[in-house]
Amino acid sequence: MKFWHAKKEGKKISLKKFFNDNLVKTIGTIFGMFIVACLAAELIGFDFFLIFRNFGKVVARFFELYLPPNFSSLNILLEEIWVTIILAISAGTIGCFLAYFSAIGMSNKTGKNRFLKGSLRVVAGFVRNVPTPIWAIILLMAFWFGEFLALLVMTLGTCAFNARLFSDMIDETNSHSIEALEATGANYWQIIVHAVYPETLPVALSWALYAVESNIRSATIIGMLAGGGIGRLIGVYRHFRRFDELMAAVIMVVITILIFDQISIQIRKRILS
Amino acid sequence: MNRARDLTIYRPKLKIMSLTDYTIYSIIIIFFLTTIYTVFFRIEFRWEFFQAETAMNIARNFLRFDLVENVKRIEMIRSLLNTLALAFLTTLSGYFIGLILGLFAARNLTNGKIASAIRGAASFVRAVPTIIWVLILVSGYGLTATTAVVGMFFHTLSFFIKSFAEAFEEIDGGTIEALKATGSNWLQIVFAAVLPSSLTKMISWVAIRSEINFAVAVVIGPAVGVPGTIGTMINNAARAGNHAEQGFGVILIFVTALIMEVSINYFRQKSIID
């Protein structure tokens, strides 16, 4: 705003001062983003006006195809929801278990072997930065389409994502207890069991709950690509154009996610209090 | 001797199990039992279908960029640009509209009814997977980029509403009260107190969401069939058994995501220091 005041008072202003002005900066950023957005829209062929032109068609088709939801195969739906939940929980458990051990190796406080630390960080960074469904596509060619592949992919994703979180968490722990145990002559594993593990357990568990939650959320797309759980069913319904049954499956997924959200919020409140 | 025995008898209990501990251990036990049931009794893996040769081929050809044709390379980089554009468009539009709706969803800036209505709607939208939104929109908009943008926009918007509203609610209530006492209106409160003090948090939320949106934009191609994104290219290469091309695509995604992560960390640290 300095610039505008200076202009009002009739002072001379330099170009440098003009570009340092906050309002000019904000307007410039917004304008630049607008231009980049226009270029991006041109690149991918995004049609802004098509959204409003065809909105009525979307709603009409939605009512025509998807409603009312057809719950005739409720048994299969419940079975697949159950499979999704236990797959998500077991993938979260195995992934967090492996991630905890790799975090002990990765963290600056507990990682003693420099080679192990570096290689674990590289591998975890690589697996984490490639989206999980891409791993499903890659592994699909070697493994058989089904529940095992879904479990494997979810475990891989959880493990790589949580390894970094856990290593950050171990870095943030209080180092006094570690030093005290070191002074008494405790060995490496005794320090981890008696100093690091009790302090990090509640936070690690809340991250594990989060991992299970995100596994349930991503089960749809992983199931579509790798098979297993409700996602496979949604893929099949879509392929055979049975949209009313697809809607029923979607409703089940939404209800599951909302219930699991509430449960994990309650548990997290109790754990972290 | 006697004294030692007394000490063992009257040793005080170091740790008393509380309700929190019981909750933690019961959850751990439930999780482990579920895992044992799933792995040993639910999933049957048929080893005769495991193709060791294909796995070896994938591993061997993963970094063989020399086997990828030049035309394919250019096509892949173009599709990567398309994917980035998709992620950028959805993040930007979600940010601007999420900012406005997030102001109305913060309980200290509006009344409770509007806030809880907006938040309820946002949490419902978030519970429906992105892929489903895209599937629903495909019937009207066709298999174009518009479908992908609008489908991803819903999720981004509800994410921003939730996180921005939480960031706005953490602002010190005294600041807002002081501004109200001076007679400033709602817009003045927003621009003078709310936005500047939650800017750091908003930047980090936008950074997190742009990473997520890139991953979603990669994935949305193969699952729904949106043409021209890198996920579709990788899927086609994998189906055709062209492992070198698939590896090239995966490395492209990895490098992009890594650059995003590193630059975002850099910006976040810089903004925190400022």
Side-chain angles (χ1 to χ4, degrees), chain B residues 1-26:
Chain B
M1 187 73 189
N2 211 358
R3 207 193 163 97
R5 217 170 65 201
D6 280 0
L7 273 178
T8 54
I9 290 165
Y10 295 113
R11 194 175 63 177
K13 221 175 180 180
L14 277 176
K15 202 167 183 227
I16 300 160
M17 292 278 276
S18 65
L19 190 65
T20 314
D21 290 337
Y22 281 120
T23 323
I24 289 173
Y25 286 110
S26 56

Side-chain angles (χ1 to χ4, degrees), chain A residues 30 33-34 36-38 40-41 43-48 50-55 57-58 61-62 65-66 79-80 82-83 85-87 89-94 97 122 125-135 137-145 147-149 151 164 197-198 201-202 205 208-209 212-213 217 220-221 224-225 234 238 243 246-247 250 253-254 257-258 260-261 267 270-273, chain B residues 15 19-20 23-25 27-28 30-32 34-39 42-47 49-52 54-55 58 62 78 81-86 88-89 92 96 123-124 126-129 131-132 135-137 139-147 149-150 154-155 211 214-216 218-220 222-225 228 230-231 234-235 238-241 243 246 250-251 253-254 257-258 261 265 268:
Chain A
I30 291 173
M33 277 189 169
F34 181 72
V36 176
C38 286
L43 187 68
I44 55 173
F46 169 66
D47 188 355
F48 184 72
L50 187 74
I51 298 173
F52 305 105
R53 217 186 305 134
N54 276 14
F55 189 73
K57 198 180 160 194
V58 170
R61 294 279 284 178
F62 177 71
L65 288 174
Y66 288 88
E79 165 79 19
E80 292 292 333
W82 165 243
V83 170
I85 292 170
I86 61 170
L87 275 180
I89 290 178
S90 39
T93 313
I94 301 170
F97 193 71
V122 169
F126 181 64
V127 176
R128 189 181 62 237
N129 276 324
V130 177
T132 332
I134 295 292
W135 287 115
I137 292 170
I138 295 170
L139 295 175
L140 181 63
M141 291 297 119
F143 291 87
W144 188 245
F145 186 86
E147 284 157 9
F148 179 79
L149 182 58
L151 182 73
R164 185 190 170 200
Y197 165 75
L201 185 64
L205 198 63
L209 278 170
V212 173
E213 211 182 298
R217 279 178 194 274
T220 319
I221 192 158
M224 263 180 170
L225 292 168
I234 288 176
R238 180 181 162 247
F243 291 114
L246 194 150
M247 195 63 206
V250 170
V253 170
V254 171
I257 288 173
L258 289 177
F260 203 87
D261 255 15
I267 292 173
R270 184 163 284 178
I271 288 172
L272 297 177
S273 63
Chain B
K15 202 167 183 227
L19 190 65
T20 314
T23 323
I24 289 173
Y25 286 110
I27 291 164
I28 290 176
I30 289 170
F31 274 20
F32 269 97
T34 317
T35 310
I36 289 166
Y37 168 71
T38 314
V39 174
R42 185 62 183 75
I43 294 174
E44 79 272 28
F45 183 62
R46 285 169 284 181
W47 283 104
F49 286 118
F50 175 64
Q51 286 160 321
T54 319
I58 291 172
F62 203 80
R78 275 212 60 170
L81 280 180
N82 281 353
T83 316
L84 275 173
L86 196 63
F88 178 77
L89 268 182
L92 192 71
F96 278 115
S123 73
F124 174 75
R126 247 160 60 81
V128 181
I131 238 54
I132 302 298
L135 269 184
I136 289 171
L137 292 168
S139 53
Y141 296 144
L143 271 178
T144 54
T146 314
T147 318
V149 169
V150 179
F154 277 115
H155 238 245
E211 269 181 62
F214 177 66
V216 174
V218 166
V219 164
I220 219 145
V224 187
I230 193 147
I234 290 174
N235 198 19
R239 299 274 149 125
H243 300 309
Q246 169 195 328
V250 173
I251 291 292
I253 291 174
F254 167 66
L258 194 71
E261 197 186 302
N265 277 342
R268 204 182 291 169

Side-chain angles (χ1 to χ4, degrees), chain B residues 25-232:
Chain B
Y25 286 110
S26 56
I27 291 164
I28 290 176
I29 287 167
I30 289 170
F31 274 20
F32 269 97
L33 286 180
T34 317
T35 310
I36 289 166
Y37 168 71
T38 314
V39 174
F40 293 106
F41 301 105
R42 185 62 183 75
I43 294 174
E44 79 272 28
F45 183 62
R46 285 169 284 181
W47 283 104
E48 66 265 24
F49 286 118
F50 175 64
Q51 286 160 321
E53 208 175 303
T54 319
M56 281 299 294
N57 259 333
I58 291 172
R60 208 182 295 135
N61 288 334
F62 203 80
L63 288 174
R64 291 290 300 274
F65 298 150
D66 52 315
L67 294 180
V68 187
E69 293 164 41
N70 253 337
V71 185
K72 277 282 171 196
R73 275 183 213 173
I74 292 165
E75 207 176 324
M76 279 218 157
I77 289 168
R78 275 212 60 170
S79 65
L80 181 74
L81 280 180
N82 281 353
T83 316
L84 275 173
L86 196 63
F88 178 77
L89 268 182
T90 42
T91 314
L92 192 71
S93 51
Y95 170 72
F96 278 115
I97 298 172
L99 188 65
I100 297 163
L101 285 175
L103 287 171
F104 287 107
R107 285 202 183 83
N108 52 355
L109 295 173
T110 47
N111 60 358
K113 268 183 193 166
I114 297 173
S116 42
I118 292 176
R119 280 179 172 214
S123 73
F124 174 75
V125 170
R126 247 160 60 81
V128 181
T130 317
I131 238 54
I132 302 298
W133 283 118
V134 175
L135 269 184
I136 289 171
L137 292 168
V138 159
S139 53
Y141 296 144
L143 271 178
T144 54
T146 314
T147 318
V149 169
V150 179
M152 281 164 65
F153 166 76
F154 277 115
H155 238 245
T156 314
L157 178 66
S158 54
F159 177 89
F160 278 142
I161 289 174
K162 183 174 171 273
S163 46
F164 285 176
E166 274 167 14
F168 296 150
E169 277 174 8
E170 280 171 20
I171 294 165
D172 188 17
T175 324
I176 296 170
E177 235 167 76
L179 278 173
K180 266 183 193 165
T182 59
S184 48
N185 61 17
W186 191 79
L187 268 180
Q188 280 167 338
I189 291 174
V190 166
F191 279 108
V194 176
L195 293 184
S197 58
S198 53
L199 190 68
T200 328
K201 243 174 215 159
M202 285 198 313
I203 288 173
S204 65
W205 281 119
V206 170
I208 290 169
R209 191 63 212 186
S210 55
E211 269 181 62
I212 297 173
N213 267 355
F214 177 66
V216 174
V218 166
V219 164
I220 219 145
V224 187
V226 180
T229 58
I230 193 147
T232 320

Side-chain angles (χ1 to χ4, degrees), chain B residues 251-271:
Chain B
I251 291 292
L252 274 185
I253 291 174
F254 167 66
V255 170
T256 317
L258 194 71
I259 290 170
M260 278 172 90
E261 197 186 302
V262 170
S263 57
I264 282 164
N265 277 342
Y266 173 75
F267 274 119
R268 204 182 291 169
Q269 274 167 5
K270 214 178 152 192
S271 68

